[in-house]
Amino acid sequence: MSLGVLVLQNSMLALTMRYSRTMDGPMYLASTAVVVAEAIKFVVSCVLLLMEEANAGGSASIVGVVHARVFGDPFGLLRLMVPAALYTVQNNLAYFAMSHLEAATYQLLYQLKILTTALCSVILLSKSLSGVQWFALCVLSAGVGLVQTANTAPAPDADGPSNSFVGFVAVLAACCSSGLAGVYFELVLKGSKTSLWVRNVQLSLIGIVFSMVPVMKDQERVTALGFFYGYNSVVWAVVLLQALGGLLVALVVKFADNILKGFATSISIIVSCVCSYFLFNFVVNTRFVLGAGCVLYAVFLYSSGAKKAPSNAPSSGGAGATSPSNATKAGAMGKDVAK
Ligand code: C5P
């Protein structure tokens, strides 16, 4: 997995999602976009699972593999309902927040998930953080506070007048969901020897079912206008990028190269800020720049803190997290990035 793919996915998703929520023309339903992304992840995860089986010398059909490995573990399937439900809420919140916040602001505020992931790891996985990491979390919180109070209100959009406070609350809720879901998913992964792709097939399958609930809430519009109402190339790009993002999160968990993810996040925030400035006439002020600086510094600091204390850091999605078994690999990733 290269730094370029992560940077591109991170910044492109934020920018295209923001654009898709503010563009002229018929507005698509976010609830349907979440279902489509889950369906794409399900198909891709099935293909990857089949490839894994083939590599291990198995020759069963996709139906046989899914039946034996995905439904052969009903308890695991049941446990994944928790992260699947959280991710469904989180993915819907992302669209909602993007209707109220600029892409750059959203991305900066969303970094608060490093704090929620760290806290969940400490509480649920009994992991401990280095002093540097605790300091980084304080800097991060201060940075997010500055960005939130910077008064860089976006222009009104297709969903009506923007309300940055409502957007902020949505991002906060998404961060809590991200931290809890990531750590819970790690708990399920580590609780058995089941392959990551089996877990991902299970997660996306339940995700499809759960994400149909918000669609049912929009039933009237879906029946009247159709499931794919308002879908154009931009919306398809958002859906594909969101699906790709989910698969990348899964790969990060598998290979634990969260240091690389931390660098990618920082670079993509800068890319989003610059692009927002040129594409959406996003006006920044001193407070925003100061806050953005704090967030970027915190992401770097948290990543390097994890590098020095690999055995203590959480590995479920936080920017700098890594797992003991992959410490060497993560260190190597760090070197790659520095090149
Ligand atoms: O890291 P973060 O919480 O932002 O990533 C969450 C996103 O990744 C969600 O869109 C979720 O649906 C997706 N995901 C996934 N498969 C996993 C873990 C997360 O598709 N195993």
Side-chain angles (χ1 to χ4, degrees):
M1 195 196 316
S2 74
L3 182 67
V5 176
L6 278 170
V7 171
L8 213 66
Q9 188 276 331
N10 254 313
S11 38
M12 287 292 287
L13 176 61
L15 292 165
T16 48
M17 196 186 270
R18 172 65 185 161
Y19 180 67
S20 75
R21 298 313 283 168
T22 54
M23 65 189 172
D24 294 331
M27 182 52 63
Y28 66 100
L29 288 168
S31 55
T32 63
V34 175
V35 176
V36 179
E38 288 300 325
I40 295 170
K41 279 190 283 187
F42 175 73
V43 173
V44 176
S45 300
C46 280
V47 171
L48 291 168
L49 174 61
L50 208 61
M51 283 163 66
E52 191 178 72
E53 282 285 318
N55 282 343
S59 59
S61 67
I62 182 72
V63 178
V65 171
V66 169
H67 185 262
R69 300 197 57 194
V70 175
F71 293 105
D73 174 23
F75 184 61
L77 207 59
L78 218 64
R79 287 183 80 193
L80 283 177
M81 281 186 168
V82 176
L86 288 167
Y87 281 139
T88 301
V89 174
Q90 182 181 333
N91 291 335
N92 279 281
L93 280 173
Y95 284 95
F96 179 79
M98 274 299 190
S99 302
H100 295 280
L101 297 168
E102 283 296 346
T105 311
Y106 170 85
Q107 270 203 304
L108 283 163
L109 298 179
Y110 191 50
Q111 296 319 305
L112 214 55
K113 73 177 177 174
I114 297 173
L115 175 72
T116 55
T117 304
L119 292 180
C120 288
S121 297
V122 169
I123 296 166
L124 297 175
L125 301 177
S126 307
K127 290 187 175 174
S128 58
L129 304 179
S130 65
V132 172
Q133 285 182 308
W134 282 116
F135 176 67
L137 293 177
C138 293
V139 176
L140 177 75
S141 308
V144 166
L146 280 170
V147 170
Q148 167 54 18
T149 52
N151 278 330
T152 49
D157 59 34
D159 277 4
S162 286
N163 182 337
S164 60
F165 181 72
V166 168
F168 176 62
V169 173
V171 180
L172 266 191
C175 288
C176 293
S177 167
S178 171
L180 196 57
V183 170
Y184 198 95
F185 186 67
E186 189 183 337
L187 262 176
V188 177
L189 265 189
K190 287 185 175 166
S192 75
K193 286 204 169 18
T194 309
S195 115
L196 174 80
W197 296 118
V198 171
R199 291 296 182 216
N200 267 298
V201 172
Q202 293 176 324
L203 190 68
S204 48
L205 191 64
I206 308 169
I208 294 173
V209 177
F210 282 173
S211 54
M212 283 305 290
V213 176
V215 173
M216 269 140 69
K217 197 193 94 242
D218 292 330
Q219 196 182 2
E220 238 172 68
R221 282 183 69 189
V222 173
T223 312
L225 304 167
F227 190 89
F228 293 105
Y229 176 75
Y231 275 58
N232 56 22
S233 49
V234 177
V235 180
W236 279 110
V238 173
V239 167
L240 286 172
L241 283 164
Q242 211 191 13
L244 175 67
L247 294 165
L248 288 178
V249 169
L251 284 171
V252 167
V253 172
K254 187 171 168 71
F255 297 108
D257 54 351
N258 281 293
I259 291 177
L260 180 74
K261 196 185 176 206
F263 279 103
T265 305
S266 310
I267 299 170
S268 59
I269 287 172
I270 297 170
V271 171
S272 295
C273 285
V274 173
C275 289
S276 290
Y277 179 78
F278 287 109
L279 296 176
F280 304 124
N281 294 325
F282 180 51
V283 185
V284 292
N285 56 28
T286 319
R287 194 179 271 237
F288 182 89
V289 174
L290 218 69
C294 284
V295 173
L296 289 179
Y297 176 61
V299 172
F300 272 103
L301 205 59
Y302 193 86
S303 304
S304 52
K307 212 157 97 177
K308 277 174 212 138
S311 56
N312 288 333
S315 63
S316 49
T322 184
S323 76
S325 56
N326 287 294
T328 322
K329 188 177 179 85
M333 289 288 184
K335 262 184 244 149
D336 275 348
V337 172
K339 263 183 228 164

